[in-house]
């Protein structure tokens, strides 16, 4: 069965760190870009891309402005996983985090709008991150 499964979410104090993991099953992540998306419950907002890592060109990475300098996306093709290391967490980072796979990062698509959920080939079910004191 083809699926992506996120893990690592939880409650963390402001300024704290979390590491999210995304495990693929039923297919190889080797040929896919992997993105992490956040959706804030009750906000009415769509899933917004936080970070993405390509499957080529030396694993090129892309970050939302809000994530730059605080989040690091990585992948381990041997383990068929991807991760998002988050530090310096803020209350506005709270939300459900989804990993997704596509042939390329949405950032490479002309007129990419980070506030709109892009088409991706596979989505996980999400993991909740709550940043609160």
């Amino acid at each position: 069965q083809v699926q992506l499964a996120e893990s690592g979410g939880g409650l963390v104090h402001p300024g704290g760190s979390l590491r999210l993991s995304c495990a693929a099953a039923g297919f190889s992540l080797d040929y896919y870009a992997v993105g992490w998306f956040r959706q804030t419950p009750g906000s009415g907002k769509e899933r917004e891309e936080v970070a993405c890592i390509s499957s080529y060109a030396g694993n090129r990475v892309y970050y939302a402005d809000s994530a730059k300098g605080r989040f690091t996306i990585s992948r381990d093709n041997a383990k068929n996983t991807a991760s998002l290391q988050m530090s310096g967490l803020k209350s506005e980072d709270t939300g459900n985090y989804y990993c997704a796979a596509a042939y390329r990062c949405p950032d490479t698509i002309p007129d990419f709008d980070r506030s709109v959920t892009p088409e991706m080939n596979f989505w996980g079910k999400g993991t909740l991150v709550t940043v609160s004191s």
Side-chain angles (χ1 to χ4, degrees):
Q1 183 178 2
V2 172
Q3 64 178 3
L4 291 171
E6 303 92 340
S7 62
L11 173 64
V12 62
H13 292 309
S17 300
L18 276 178
R19 185 178 180 86
L20 305 183
S21 295
C22 173
F27 73 105
S28 174
L29 276 178
D30 290 16
Y31 308 108
Y32 291 88
V34 179
W36 284 94
F37 300 80
R38 177 177 62 231
Q39 187 169 31
T40 306
S43 68
K45 293 183 178 180
E46 298 191 33
R47 296 178 186 182
E48 301 176 317
E49 187 195 290
V50 174
C52 190
I53 184 167
S54 71
S55 62
Y56 60 93
N59 287 334
R60 186 168 182 175
V61 295
Y62 305 87
Y63 294 99
D65 287 342
S66 62
K68 289 178 182 176
R70 299 189 300 126
F71 294 4
T72 302
I73 189 171
S74 61
R75 63 190 300 153
D76 187 336
N77 287 348
K79 295 182 179 179
N80 217 23
T81 61
S83 298
L84 184 70
Q85 177 68 46
M86 304 186 294
S87 60
L89 284 162
K90 307 174 182 179
S91 58
E92 51 263 43
D93 295 319
T94 293
N96 285 302
Y97 282 73
Y98 301 86
C99 69
Y103 289 120
R104 58 175 175 169
C105 287
D107 312 68
T108 64
I109 300 172
D111 299 324
F112 168 57
D113 183 348
R114 194 174 296 278
S115 66
V116 176
T117 305
E119 288 190 19
M120 305 290 282
N121 294 81
F122 307 108
W123 286 93
K125 294 182 178 180
T127 185
L128 179 62
V129 172
T130 303
V131 184
S132 175
S133 55

